Amino acid sequence: MNFQKRKQNILDKLNITGEVDVKQLAMELAISEITIRRDLNQLANDGLLYRTHGGGMKVDPLAKPVDFINKSAQNAAVKDEICRKAAEHIHDGDIIFMDCGSTVFRLCPFIKNKKIKVITNSLPVIYELQNCAVSLNIIGGEFDSERQAVHGKIANEHIARYRAGKAFLGVDGVSQNGLFANSELEAEITSAYINQSAYTYLLCDAGKIGKETYLKFADINQVEAIITNAKDGQLSCFKDTALAILQVK
Amino acid sequence: MNFQKRKQNILDKLNITGEVDVKQLAMELAISEITIRRDLNQLANDGLLYRTHGGGMKVDPLAKPVDFINKSAQNAAVKDEICRKAAEHIHDGDIIFMDCGSTVFRLCPFIKNKKIKVITNSLPVIYELQNCAVSLNIIGGEFDSERQAVHGKIANEHIARYRAGKAFLGVDGVSQNGLFANSELEAEITSAYINQSAYTYLLCDAGKIGKETYLKFADINQVEAIITNAKDGQLSCFKDTALAILQVK
DNA sequence: TCAATTTTGATTATTTTTGAACGAATTAAC
DNA sequence: GTTAATTCGTTCAAAAATAATCAAAATTGA
């Protein structure tokens, strides 16, 4: 019984019962618990299940109106952990910026019932938050249908009209040398958010840490905190910075 | 029984009964009260329930705003005729304003394949046009979930940044004495569109003609044309104006 | 075959979860 | 108001699950 076969077996059980248990799997597949744990971790890392203490559960079959949601489902479990942590820093009365990344999008379910004001250029975020306790402010300007968001000069000027207590942003890469983006338009929007917020949180899965890609648009000391699933070793590059590091599972 | 499983269980009960009780949950799930309390606190922290003394309550499922599409379906046939006529006046290369009324919304299907630029404050219009030939520009500002549109000071200023060849607008009433609206916010947006467009079309079913309601916000000579299903007799009030009258079936 | 790599298992230390106790805070009753 | 009864959160300890480390077994590729 190799990994591929076990993986299939585990996913089958998951589809039938909705959950699996380490002890039970170890017994049924006649293999050690540590191996089962390694399997579950790998599956969770691939976004195929939610890892729980003692087992795993099926990934939420989220309603998926747009193709955007699928992209967002990559690494769903990790992103949800990051967003759950981020939501702990959002309280009634807050005014926050949210950018148009797929990680930040998953913050929506965790803030739906908070009495806050959200300023965003992301259409999926608007769609997700439009019928809930959140008060919405839409950044105006030219709509980019590929990114499902508003970008450009007018949008940047619009952001400059507002100030928020907190900003929750995604980037394509981050290291001790700064913040990196794959697109000039996104970089400008993110910069604008950083400039207009008192405290900026970066939401980054481990894959983004240490990655320096395409365009550097801000120094690391322009943001205050990073929320990530990366481990200590990977984060050592930030040891000479003032960055607050919030680690999740 | 791990936390995730309990969490789901608690939320299920909450959905059925609307409230949960620490003691009862502890008994039913065969677990200590302190653990239930910790669970409830975490769920409350995630915004999934309201914590009360002794238990928790469902977060109020906010009254859903008007189902925009249904409202738009009232008088659908008439509105479609008006919009078909309006679309005849829109050509490739045009830059047009569209406001947030239910009549104007029905213009969308008739312009999906035109290579034009649409500037709008209406979220339904944005959804409808987001994946087609039309290039979209979103008016920014505070989002009003009841009207499914952006309104307010910033929105008005944003509109003032642009100029368009044509504007397609709805009103709550129109007569030889001017244009009328049921809301100050909508009136201001409509005024802004009128000011920034070279040629303004009013889309009005017969019920709006001659109706003078609540707030007059513009003179009749500020707009250039009206597209309506009203008959000659009802339109006689405009005989002393320069208004172009485009009648449909 | 044999060495290199990968996978698996055992052991140990660490982390997470849970429960009990008790003082503090909140609600209900008077 | 004042008292009594719950309910709550903190602290500590026990139990369970996990991650880290290292060694054994299996697989792979020459």
Side-chain angles (χ1 to χ4, degrees):
Chain A
M1 172 87 68
N2 58 22
F3 170 63
Q4 307 301 343
K5 200 144 178 69
R6 283 201 310 276
K7 172 175 165 177
Q8 196 57 52
N9 205 315
I10 292 172
L11 290 178
D12 286 347
K13 285 185 203 305
L14 204 61
N15 263 328
I16 296 167
T17 64
E19 60 181 334
V20 290
D21 177 84
V22 170
K23 279 211 160 75
Q24 196 178 331
L25 280 174
M27 201 168 59
E28 291 181 6
L29 302 180
I31 204 160
S32 75
E33 292 183 16
I34 180 66
T35 299
I36 293 295
R37 270 188 224 111
R38 278 193 271 245
D39 290 352
L40 292 184
N41 287 350
Q42 189 165 341
L43 291 173
N45 205 41
D46 290 347
L48 298 173
L49 58 72
Y50 277 120
R51 189 74 166 86
T52 66
H53 266 250
M57 293 181 65
K58 210 148 107 174
V59 177
D60 285 45
L62 281 173
K64 36 190 165 183
V66 273
D67 165 67
F68 187 90
I69 311 288
N70 284 339
K71 185 180 171 190
S72 158
Q74 267 183 336
N75 273 324
V78 166
K79 288 178 176 176
D80 281 354
E81 280 307 313
I82 292 173
C83 288
R84 173 171 293 114
K85 171 67 78 178
E88 288 175 10
H89 292 251
I90 301 173
H91 309 106
D92 285 1
D94 275 357
I95 296 172
I96 70 172
F97 288 124
M98 289 175 67
D99 82 357
C100 53
S102 59
T103 305
V104 173
F105 170 73
R106 294 191 74 92
L107 185 54
C108 293
F110 297 105
I111 60 175
K112 274 194 163 174
N113 299 308
K114 296 183 194 262
K115 294 186 181 59
I116 59 175
K117 206 179 271 288
V118 168
I119 306 172
T120 185
N121 66 319
S122 161
L123 199 54
V125 169
I126 292 162
Y127 187 78
E128 203 65 15
L129 295 178
Q130 65 173 311
N131 289 320
C132 63
V134 171
S135 160
L136 269 179
N137 191 301
I138 300 176
I139 298 299
E142 291 195 350
F143 179 72
D144 178 338
S145 75
E146 193 190 338
R147 295 194 184 78
Q148 294 280 296
V150 174
H151 290 92
K153 177 171 142 59
I154 296 286
N156 293 332
E157 288 179 17
H158 188 167
I159 293 173
R161 299 287 307 262
Y162 295 103
R163 283 192 73 62
K166 296 158 189 168
F168 294 85
L169 309 176
V171 291
D172 291 313
V174 57
S175 75
Q176 71 275 20
N177 296 319
L179 280 48
F180 294 82
N182 284 327
S183 129
E184 206 171 316
L185 286 174
E186 285 181 25
E188 281 182 3
I189 287 280
T190 307
S191 283
Y193 283 138
I194 291 173
N195 289 336
Q196 301 305 118
S197 70
Y199 199 99
T200 300
Y201 296 85
L202 287 186
L203 275 41
C204 283
D205 58 74
K208 309 275 179 60
I209 307 287
K211 191 171 163 196
E212 302 187 346
T213 175
Y214 189 53
L215 173 66
K216 174 186 163 176
F217 64 93
D219 285 326
I220 191 68
N221 60 18
Q222 289 183 260
V223 303
E224 280 73 27
I226 188 167
I227 305 179
T228 182
N229 64 322
K231 306 295 180 199
D232 287 340
Q234 200 182 356
L235 293 166
S236 61
C237 61
F238 298 122
K239 66 182 185 300
D240 293 332
T241 70
L243 199 65
I245 296 178
L246 307 169
Q247 280 170 281
V248 300
K249 178 204 65 152
Chain B
M1 172 87 70
N2 57 26
F3 168 63
Q4 279 81 3
K5 187 90 183 139
R6 284 200 308 275
K7 170 176 165 177
Q8 203 147 51
N9 208 314
I10 291 172
L11 290 178
D12 286 347
K13 284 185 203 303
L14 205 61
N15 261 328
I16 296 167
T17 64
E19 59 183 342
V20 289
D21 176 83
V22 171
K23 276 212 160 73
Q24 196 179 333
L25 280 174
M27 201 168 58
E28 290 182 7
L29 302 180
I31 206 158
S32 74
E33 291 183 17
I34 180 65
T35 299
I36 293 294
R37 266 187 236 121
R38 279 194 270 243
D39 290 352
L40 293 183
N41 286 350
Q42 188 164 345
L43 291 173
N45 198 43
D46 287 352
L48 298 172
L49 57 73
Y50 280 126
R51 188 74 165 86
T52 64
H53 269 253
M57 289 180 58
K58 201 150 114 177
V59 289
D60 40 4
L62 297 168
K64 285 204 172 172
V66 288
D67 186 352
F68 193 91
I69 310 294
N70 282 344
K71 187 177 169 191
S72 157
Q74 272 182 335
N75 270 326
V78 167
K79 288 177 177 177
D80 281 353
E81 279 310 311
I82 292 173
C83 289
R84 174 172 293 115
K85 172 65 77 176
E88 290 173 10
H89 293 252
I90 301 171
H91 310 105
D92 284 1
D94 275 357
I95 296 172
I96 70 173
F97 289 124
M98 289 175 66
D99 82 358
C100 53
S102 58
T103 305
V104 173
F105 170 73
R106 297 189 71 92
L107 184 54
C108 294
F110 298 105
I111 59 175
K112 274 194 165 175
N113 298 312
K114 296 181 192 268
K115 293 187 180 60
I116 59 174
K117 206 180 271 287
V118 168
I119 307 172
T120 185
N121 67 318
S122 161
L123 201 53
V125 168
I126 292 162
Y127 287 145
E128 204 64 18
L129 297 179
Q130 66 175 305
N131 288 319
C132 61
V134 172
S135 160
L136 269 179
N137 191 299
I138 300 176
I139 298 298
E142 290 194 351
F143 178 72
D144 179 337
S145 76
E146 194 190 336
R147 295 193 183 79
Q148 295 279 295
V150 175
H151 291 91
K153 176 172 143 59
I154 296 285
N156 294 333
E157 289 179 18
H158 190 167
I159 293 173
R161 299 287 306 263
Y162 295 104
R163 284 195 70 65
K166 295 158 190 167
F168 294 85
L169 309 177
V171 291
D172 290 312
V174 56
S175 75
Q176 72 275 21
N177 296 318
L179 279 49
F180 295 81
N182 284 327
S183 127
E184 205 171 318
L185 287 173
E186 285 182 24
E188 281 182 3
I189 288 281
T190 307
S191 283
Y193 283 138
I194 292 173
N195 290 336
Q196 300 305 117
S197 69
Y199 199 98
T200 300
Y201 297 84
L202 288 186
L203 309 188
C204 282
D205 58 73
K208 309 278 179 59
I209 306 290
K211 191 171 164 193
E212 303 186 347
T213 174
Y214 190 52
L215 175 66
K216 174 185 163 177
F217 64 94
D219 286 325
I220 191 67
N221 60 17
Q222 288 182 260
V223 302
E224 281 72 26
I226 187 167
I227 306 179
T228 181
N229 66 321
K231 305 298 178 196
D232 289 340
Q234 201 183 355
L235 293 166
S236 61
C237 60
F238 298 121
K239 66 182 186 301
D240 294 333
T241 69
L243 199 65
I245 296 178
L246 308 169
Q247 281 171 278
V248 299
K249 176 203 63 148

